[in-house]
Amino acid sequence: MENIRIVRYLMPGQAPKLGINKAGVIHDFTPSITSFQELVQLAQKSQPTQALLEFVQGLSTTPTKYNYQDLDCTPDGNKPHLLIPLEPPEVWGAGVTYERSRVARGVEESATVGIYDKVYEAERPELFFKATPSRCVGPNQASGIRADSRWTVPEPELGVVLGAQGEILAYSLGNDMNARDIEGENPLYLPQAKIHRACFSFGPGLLLTDLETARNMVIECRITRKNQEVFRAETNTARIHRPLTNMIEYLRRMDIPVFTVLSTGTGIVPPTEFALEEGDVIEISSPEIGVLRNPVTRVS
């Protein structure tokens, strides 16, 4: 099945645009569609029984084309640039879904041993509220580290966009920034470790694909400091211990709004001696989705 990569971007003096990224060239939709929400609503109105991927494959595009590389730059109102692909009403996170995450949280950072082992094997997943729209940033925007944290790390994750019935509409990459020192001091401090300004980055686009593709995707994280690589690691979504359907089932019990984003947990954890610094650049990538790049800043 053909995958479709959708990006949202801004041209100076115009409303936001939504287009398809085909081999590094962006093609506008016809008629003009300004958001993923509009695209889904159009699909449901036009072909309510047709899958979103099939519907989008049948849409025509305009002759107007843009080079993706020209848009993948620091946001500036005076030049074209990528936008966050979706402004989700809510972002939720799932924890301890990879073996590496269980080890890191249960042994390396936590004073309370055992609770992470229990949730790793339990039927009920760990789910936590992560972000509101104002706390989300898109590609090339600054990701935040808390002013009161000295041990913050990125958590590269597969994100899923959920429909009204809990169906997966699209996939993307997310960075669930985590203050490991705050969470490690006491697990009850989890919201303080997770929620702050610019705590969740999302993008660079949305991938329309089937579940089998999503279950076998390489995710890589690379961090540079003063133009020198200081960390690199990768994982595969095949290593997610818990089925996505299980996470979504329990999440929907909390009456989430349509277009909620679920960040599905991380399999990449930097070593205990590593902490982000202001000015670092985080790159989270997947061949199917692209590269989510964010500089780091300290926030109040």
Side-chain angles (χ1 to χ4, degrees):
M1 179 179 293
E2 178 188 1
N3 297 332
I4 291 181
R5 291 194 290 178
I6 294 175
V7 295
R8 187 165 174 256
Y9 50 99
L10 186 69
M11 306 300 293
Q14 301 180 32
K17 293 176 176 287
L18 204 70
I20 297 179
N21 181 359
K22 297 181 179 180
V25 178
I26 308 303
H27 303 253
D28 279 347
F29 284 114
T30 304
S32 177
I33 301 171
T34 64
S35 70
F36 183 68
Q37 292 93 326
E38 287 183 18
L39 179 64
V40 172
Q41 291 164 2
L42 180 61
Q44 293 172 342
K45 181 178 179 180
S46 303
Q47 299 287 345
T49 62
Q50 188 178 36
L52 179 62
L53 177 56
E54 295 176 1
F55 175 79
V56 175
Q57 286 173 333
L59 287 179
S60 60
T61 57
T62 71
T64 305
K65 300 177 183 179
Y66 308 100
N67 289 324
Y68 179 84
Q69 289 185 341
D70 294 338
L71 303 178
D72 189 15
C73 59
T74 302
D76 183 334
N78 296 318
K79 62 182 182 181
H81 62 269
L82 295 173
L83 298 172
I84 189 169
L86 169 76
E87 295 180 356
E90 295 178 358
V91 178
W92 288 76
V96 200
T97 58
Y98 289 79
E99 171 69 20
R100 181 67 185 94
S101 178
R102 176 177 69 163
V103 171
R105 294 175 66 187
V107 178
E108 295 175 5
E109 73 184 28
S110 179
T112 305
V113 178
I115 61 172
Y116 296 107
D117 286 326
K118 290 179 180 178
V119 78
Y120 184 76
E121 301 293 349
E123 168 64 23
R124 182 185 296 271
E126 179 196 8
L127 297 170
F128 54 87
F129 188 80
K130 175 61 185 180
T132 55
S134 64
R135 294 181 172 94
C136 297
V137 297
N140 303 301
Q141 291 183 288
S143 288
I145 52 178
R146 288 182 61 115
D148 58 351
S149 172
R150 294 296 174 264
W151 186 22
T152 290
V153 297
E155 294 193 353
E157 308 191 2
L158 178 70
V160 297
V161 181
L162 301 178
Q165 305 303 316
E167 71 275 23
I168 298 176
L169 299 173
Y171 300 87
S172 192
L173 297 172
N175 179 9
D176 170 19
M177 294 285 272
N178 184 31
R180 293 185 69 183
D181 50 349
I182 295 175
E183 181 187 3
E185 183 178 346
N186 190 316
L188 295 179
Y189 296 159
L190 179 66
Q192 298 177 71
K194 293 288 189 180
I195 304 172
H196 51 79
R197 185 157 55 91
C199 64
F200 185 73
S201 61
F202 184 54
L206 299 173
L207 177 70
L208 306 186
T209 190
D210 56 62
L211 185 58
E212 287 306 310
T213 298
R215 284 174 173 165
N216 188 27
M217 290 171 50
V218 173
I219 296 178
E220 182 181 74
C221 179
R222 177 175 180 264
I223 302 173
T224 55
R225 179 173 298 160
K226 298 179 180 178
N227 296 318
Q228 297 294 317
E229 183 178 290
V230 292
F231 176 76
R232 182 193 291 263
E234 70 175 42
T235 190
N236 192 299
T237 56
R239 298 177 63 189
I240 297 178
H241 171 70
R242 186 179 295 275
L244 297 182
T245 52
N246 171 268
M247 304 181 209
I248 295 169
E249 175 194 348
Y250 278 90
L251 182 60
R252 291 191 67 216
R253 297 182 186 186
M254 290 181 276
D255 193 28
I256 58 169
V258 63
F259 300 115
T260 286
V261 168
L262 171 63
S263 198
T264 60
T266 190
I268 298 175
V269 181
T272 54
E273 64 272 15
F274 180 86
L276 286 170
E277 296 181 4
E278 191 162 28
D280 288 355
V281 177
I282 305 166
E283 292 183 349
I284 299 172
S285 62
S286 166
E288 293 83 1
I289 299 174
V291 181
L292 173 63
R293 184 180 300 103
N294 300 100
V296 174
T297 188
R298 191 167 290 276
V299 299
S300 57

